[in-house]
Amino acid sequence: MNTIKRYLGVVWLGLAALAGYFGITSLGLPKLTSGKTDDLVFGIIIVFVLMPIIVGGLARFGLYALQGEYDESDNRS
Amino acid sequence: MITEARKTVSNTRSLISVIGASSVGTLIEWYDFYIFGSLATVLATKFFPEGNPTAAFLSTLATFAAGFVVRPFGAIFFGRLGDLIGRKYTFMVTLLLMGGATFAIGLIPSYETIGFLAPTLVLLLRLLQGLALGGEYGGAATYVAEHSPTNRRGYWTSWIQTTATVGLFVSLLVILITRKSMSKESFDEWGWRVPFLVSVLMVLISYVIRRNMSESPLFAKAKAEGKTSTNPLKESFGNRYNFKFVLLALFGATMGQGVVWYTGQFYAMSFIKTVCNVDAIQSDELMSVALLMGTPFFVVFGWLSDRIGRKGIMLIGMLVALLSYRAIYEKIYQTTNLKNKQEITTNFSADSTTAPDPKVDGGFIQTKTIKREYTDGTKLTEVSKLKIAADPSAEPAKPDIKKTVLINDSDRWTLIWLIFIQVIFVTLVYGPIAAFLVEMFPVKIRYTSMSLPYHIGNGVFGGLLPAVATYLATGAKEANLAAEKAGSALPYAAPYLEGLWYPIIVAAVSFLIGLVYIRNRAQVVD
């Protein structure tokens, strides 16, 4: 199980990168540049709130997983 | 033996009063939070007039900000306060802040009276509401959990979990009663203020009850022993050991819970109103009945989580939700789809009036009202407004068409059951989660550590659902229109279902993380 947990760390890192790429290029930037007020607020939230949380958080989670921080020996996980 | 029995009865009684005080306060916070969203259309005309870009910008900010930008900040600010000075005082402050802000929204003069000060004040008060909500939930959940016996935390904290749904239900009920007790004109003129003003009474009652409660025993003990944290923020998020659990709570539980919660309670409502065009009052009634039927299940699954573990129940909720959403929404769509119904052509009526446009000199507004009836009792009213410019050479505008569908009793029950199923998914993921989060973190940093992942999961991932789902559905619709124009095959068979990919993908990732990384019975950390 620990091996699976560690290998999956790579998946979370990849997912973080994918989410960041599509979040910014497909969702965030088109909204920021559409010229509509509603879109602008939505774009700002996507690029500056949602993406840092998803990309930063998921990447850190993936890194911890890869480093074995969530291995069975830890009783809180 | 008798003394033991008496002690148990007295403990249960005091626990019930703790839960009562915490739940009523949290319920009011949710009530206050929801009425703004439920009355958004009326509020837009009062504070954010159409055609003014600055007011529209403030309106969008007010709607988004409190929902998911400010809540995590409230979680950090009040969480830290709760771990430093205590749970009781902190959630007294959040209660008064929320109640005061809501009451004040009900008092703000309209844009017509005070101009830009009106939307600015609304925005500020919405920010306060978001901050207060960010601090309230963690306090109430922690307070109740720290009063409960370890083996019954799921059951007792699940009462707190009912408050978000009951808060939504009460807000719909108060609005419905207010709407029905006066004419539409009176409601639009001043009646919309009633639900905001009423909240002050509820807040006062809750304040009096909460004031008489004692501090959480676990926190009081930790404080007496000098074991509270001096810097809860640093210990929660700066400490690698603890931070990895914050991340696990976020990605393995609250992220999935957030999207399931928003889909079942809000996306369902907006889908029925805006995609299926079901009448607003009828939609509110459907939601209210389904919420009422589903609410007891929060307690059922909270209780069950004490017996079989929290992880399994939450993960089953995410799994069944992500597997069944498309089928459920397809059924909702087809139930109200007028193409599936037989029209009574003899009952067709059409009416047209033309009146001067008050906003354009020399312009007119042509209003066409078409009414259709169907053999199963469904009724459609289609109001089309066309602006006719004073200059006949000007490019003709597109008519603004509003459809309202009144569905029959049988369809109403079909929709109620379909919403009810989604509320059950909500109760599966949400019922045990307070106890789950509380048990993940030690007393000294519990309020701070659990509040942030909860509000990011619920507020940010869940709160963005309507916007992202609408974006996906609109994109699919536009792609279909483009393909139709080009004469090629339509890329999406059901564009109205495309918005569901957001909750499905987020819940799937959360399910997988929860399944692999969370233990079934997490060790209770006190």
Side-chain angles (χ1 to χ4, degrees):
Chain A
M1 194 62 179
N2 283 346
T3 318
I4 295 173
K5 283 181 178 181
R6 289 189 183 209
Y7 280 138
L8 275 174
V10 182
V11 175
W12 312 131
L13 281 168
L15 204 62
L18 260 177
Y21 176 75
F22 284 109
I24 291 170
T25 57
S26 305
L27 210 59
L29 288 181
K31 288 280 174 186
L32 281 177
T33 51
S34 80
K36 290 181 197 161
T37 313
D38 278 14
D39 283 356
L40 181 67
V41 178
F42 184 54
I44 290 171
I45 290 171
I46 293 285
V47 174
F48 299 104
V49 179
L50 189 66
M51 282 306 124
I53 290 172
I54 294 181
V55 177
L58 203 55
R60 190 110 180 242
F61 179 77
L63 200 66
Y64 283 172
L66 202 61
Q67 291 169 343
E69 289 279 357
Y70 294 106
D71 284 0
E72 286 295 319
S73 56
D74 197 305
N75 54 21
R76 265 211 276 166
S77 64
Chain B
M1 201 62 174
I2 293 170
T3 321
E4 275 303 306
R6 274 185 188 154
K7 208 187 270 179
T8 312
V9 171
S10 130
N11 282 347
T12 307
R13 271 188 194 153
S14 83
L15 205 49
I16 289 170
S17 59
V18 163
I19 288 157
S22 308
S23 304
V24 171
T26 314
L27 186 150
I28 292 161
E29 297 247 2
W30 284 113
Y31 166 86
D32 287 355
F33 193 71
Y34 291 141
I35 49 175
F36 189 91
S38 303
L39 292 172
T41 329
V42 186
L43 295 176
T45 62
K46 296 290 154 192
F47 299 125
F48 310 105
E50 233 180 290
N52 187 318
T54 316
F57 183 68
L58 292 173
S59 157
T60 317
L61 271 183
T63 312
F64 279 112
F68 39 76
V69 180
V70 182
R71 267 168 67 181
F73 288 103
I76 290 175
F77 179 78
F78 288 109
R80 178 179 176 276
L81 217 59
D83 282 330
L84 285 174
I85 64 163
R87 284 72 164 115
K88 183 193 156 184
Y89 292 105
T90 308
F91 79 1
M92 293 272 278
V93 174
T94 58
L95 177 74
L96 292 177
L97 199 63
M98 179 62 118
T102 307
F103 182 68
I105 292 177
L107 293 177
I108 298 175
S110 68
Y111 180 86
E112 270 182 15
T113 317
I114 58 168
F116 271 106
L117 195 56
T120 310
L121 283 173
V122 174
L123 175 61
L124 286 174
L125 292 168
R126 286 290 288 165
L127 293 178
L128 286 181
Q129 278 192 327
L131 278 176
L133 192 67
E136 165 69 23
Y137 175 81
T142 306
Y143 187 72
V144 171
E146 290 179 350
H147 273 89
S148 314
T150 314
N151 62 345
R152 300 207 72 198
R153 275 183 177 153
Y155 172 69
W156 290 115
T157 54
S158 65
W159 289 94
I160 293 286
Q161 303 304 90
T162 63
T163 58
T165 303
V166 179
L168 174 63
F169 173 75
V170 175
S171 72
L172 291 174
L173 199 68
V174 172
I175 293 168
L176 211 64
I177 292 170
T178 317
R179 271 189 201 276
K180 285 196 167 177
S181 61
M182 59 181 73
S183 66
K184 191 183 176 302
E185 290 71 30
S186 303
F187 184 83
D188 289 347
E189 184 62 32
W190 59 269
W192 62 270
R193 293 184 187 271
V194 174
F196 286 94
L197 300 176
V198 159
S199 82
V200 81
L201 289 173
M202 299 194 265
V203 169
L204 280 176
I205 294 167
S206 178
Y207 174 78
V208 171
I209 303 172
R210 279 189 177 186
R211 199 182 54 183
N212 297 323
M213 304 304 296
S214 52
E215 182 52 272
S216 128
L218 291 184
F219 181 81
K221 185 171 171 273
K223 199 166 189 180
E225 291 169 355
K227 287 180 181 168
T228 50
S229 172
T230 50
N231 192 344
L233 281 181
K234 195 178 168 193
E235 281 190 55
S236 291
F237 312 120
N239 175 314
R240 185 183 172 103
Y241 180 76
N242 194 66
F243 188 60
K244 70 180 186 185
F245 293 108
V246 173
L247 290 175
L248 184 58
L250 170 61
F251 293 112
T254 64
M255 178 173 84
Q257 171 261 305
V259 292
V260 172
W261 198 66
Y262 261 81
T263 308
Q265 298 201 159
F266 300 103
Y267 190 65
M269 184 155 64
S270 119
F271 189 85
I272 289 169
K273 275 184 190 172
T274 58
V275 179
C276 304
N277 298 311
V278 174
D279 172 67
I281 292 182
Q282 204 172 42
S283 306
D284 287 350
E285 281 171 355
L286 303 173
M287 280 306 296
S288 302
V289 176
L291 289 173
L292 199 65
M293 284 160 51
T295 299
F297 289 90
F298 284 107
V299 182
V300 171
F301 293 123
W303 165 81
L304 197 62
S305 75
D306 286 328
R307 290 167 189 263
I308 63 167
R310 325 231 186 265
K311 172 182 167 175
I313 295 174
M314 292 191 300
L315 292 187
I316 286 172
M318 284 182 214
L319 188 66
V320 288
L322 72 93
L323 291 177
S324 58
Y325 274 154
R326 281 182 71 92
I328 289 175
Y329 279 83
E330 177 64 18
K331 178 73 182 162
I332 292 178
Y333 186 80
Q334 295 306 343
T335 301
T336 56
N337 191 354
L338 298 174
K339 285 180 184 162
N340 298 333
K341 299 175 191 291
Q342 178 80 44
E343 189 186 342
I344 308 170
T345 45
T346 47
N347 289 2
F348 172 85
S349 76
D351 183 31
S352 178
T353 55
T354 307
D357 186 344
K359 287 179 185 167
V360 182
D361 277 343
F364 289 92
I365 296 178
Q366 190 182 56
T367 308
K368 278 185 189 169
T369 308
I370 293 171
K371 290 186 178 179
R372 295 175 198 272
E373 285 184 27
Y374 297 81
T375 50
D376 68 350
T378 304
K379 290 176 182 169
L380 167 76
T381 307
E382 194 178 305
V383 180
S384 148
K385 286 190 176 179
L386 177 67
K387 287 186 177 180
I388 303 165
D391 177 10
S393 62
E395 202 177 314
K398 272 189 179 174
D400 176 24
I401 301 170
K402 196 176 177 234
K403 289 180 183 175
T404 308
V405 178
L406 266 173
I407 52 174
N408 63 33
D409 265 359
S410 153
D411 287 349
R412 235 166 57 181
W413 275 103
T414 307
L415 294 196
I416 288 172
W417 285 114
L418 291 167
I419 303 166
F420 170 74
I421 293 169
Q422 294 182 69
V423 178
I424 293 298
F425 300 161
V426 174
T427 60
L428 278 159
V429 295
Y430 198 59
I433 210 165
F436 169 80
L437 290 173
V438 163
E439 288 171 351
M440 245 187 163
F441 304 103
V443 174
K444 62 178 185 171
I445 51 167
R446 182 172 278 168
Y447 200 151
T448 314
S449 295
M450 74 160 281
S451 292
L452 192 68
Y454 172 78
H455 284 291
I456 290 179
N458 206 308
V460 178
F461 282 97
L464 277 172
L465 193 142
V468 177
T470 309
Y471 174 77
L472 294 173
T474 313
K477 214 171 158 184
E478 282 168 4
N480 271 5
L481 279 175
E484 206 176 299
K485 269 186 188 172
S488 51
L490 299 184
Y492 299 97
Y496 47 88
L497 297 182
E498 289 304 300
L500 290 168
W501 284 118
Y502 175 74
I504 289 173
I505 291 170
V506 172
V509 172
S510 195
F511 171 79
L512 195 59
I513 291 177
L515 185 71
V516 176
Y517 295 93
I518 293 174
R519 276 191 170 189
N520 190 31
R521 285 185 182 272
Q523 181 177 323
V524 178
V525 183
D526 280 327

